Amino acid sequence: MTDPIADIIGDYRAFTAQQRDRLLARGIDIAPYTLSHLAFRVPEWDQYVHARTLLERHAVANRENVWNGRPISLIVPAEPLEVLDGKAVPLIELIPPVHQRVYKMGLEHLGVVVGDTFEAFVGTHKPVLTGQQFQGPSSTPDPVYILFEDFTHVKFYRLSLRASVELDVGPFAVGFRHVDEWVPQRPLPR
């Protein structure tokens, strides 16, 4: 039986298992935590629109907004993705072309919700954390992350990405809405 989401974003089960195993090697067991989302990054605007269209065929809602100068779409699959022997991934973050540094194209990061233990988690695992991502005034606290050698990440949150967005701007509505009148930036000719 085929998996239409895996056909679009790749083998997300293998990706989450790889990230889990890398974390275990660094002394972090994510088994007790829920998962927030998977992020999928594309290098070109046309690929973003194509992937968004394909993913929305297997979804019930999205929330697309402009962040760091370009749209990002949070897509709610009709059925959560099942990974790691029964854990659910309830959201896909679709990210268009990069904005500031080298990123892994394709499956780029896994979001993990550590909940109210966030500060204790950071204190315990600070020696293996790479940094903290500042996501704006409504992100409290901002997620911490581990960057791996292949430029993939695992990000750790107090709240899931969806819960954080809903606290800031309200619940996801059923259906799909896209950022209107946004045009991808093109390099100026020389």
Side-chain angles (χ1 to χ4, degrees):
M1 191 159 157
T2 65
D3 180 341
I5 301 293
D7 290 343
I8 301 164
I9 67 172
D11 191 348
Y12 59 85
R13 289 180 183 94
F15 177 76
T16 55
Q18 174 188 30
Q19 301 305 69
R20 176 205 54 209
D21 294 346
R22 289 172 161 178
L23 292 172
L24 283 170
R26 288 165 172 78
I28 300 174
D29 180 6
I30 61 170
Y33 304 120
T34 59
L35 301 179
S36 169
H37 64 283
L38 280 169
F40 181 73
R41 187 179 292 274
V42 295
E44 299 292 332
W45 174 249
D46 293 345
Q47 291 169 307
Y48 171 84
V49 173
H50 182 69
R52 182 185 69 193
T53 300
L54 294 176
L55 287 168
E56 287 176 353
R57 292 178 184 166
H58 308 283
V60 294
N62 83 323
R63 168 71 55 79
E64 186 173 74
N65 63 11
V66 176
W67 190 78
N68 267 351
R70 78 247 195 267
I72 289 181
S73 195
L74 305 178
I75 299 171
V76 181
E79 296 290 328
L81 308 179
E82 186 179 317
V83 298
L84 305 177
D85 301 318
K87 282 195 174 289
V89 177
L91 190 72
I92 299 168
E93 179 182 20
L94 178 61
I95 308 171
V98 299
H99 58 83
Q100 49 185 323
R101 62 180 179 86
V102 175
Y103 287 94
K104 169 80 168 148
M105 293 299 120
L107 286 164
E108 191 264 344
H109 75 258
L110 171 65
V112 178
V113 182
V114 297
D116 291 336
T117 65
F118 184 83
E119 284 80 13
F121 178 89
V122 171
T124 300
H125 299 293
K126 197 171 188 177
V128 298
L129 296 174
T130 305
Q132 188 164 22
Q133 183 178 24
F134 301 101
Q135 295 187 321
S138 300
S139 179
T140 307
D142 289 301
V144 294
Y145 64 91
I146 294 177
L147 171 64
F148 297 108
E149 307 78 30
D150 62 354
F151 296 103
T152 62
H153 298 77
V154 174
K155 296 182 182 181
F156 302 94
Y157 298 80
R158 177 189 304 275
L159 299 175
S160 71
L161 181 56
R162 180 175 180 169
S164 294
V165 168
E166 289 181 333
L167 274 176
D168 187 33
V169 292
F172 281 49
V174 173
F176 305 98
R177 288 155 199 82
H178 303 127
V179 172
D180 292 327
E181 300 178 21
W182 187 85
V183 178
Q185 296 176 354
R186 302 280 185 221
L188 294 173
R190 292 182 169 212

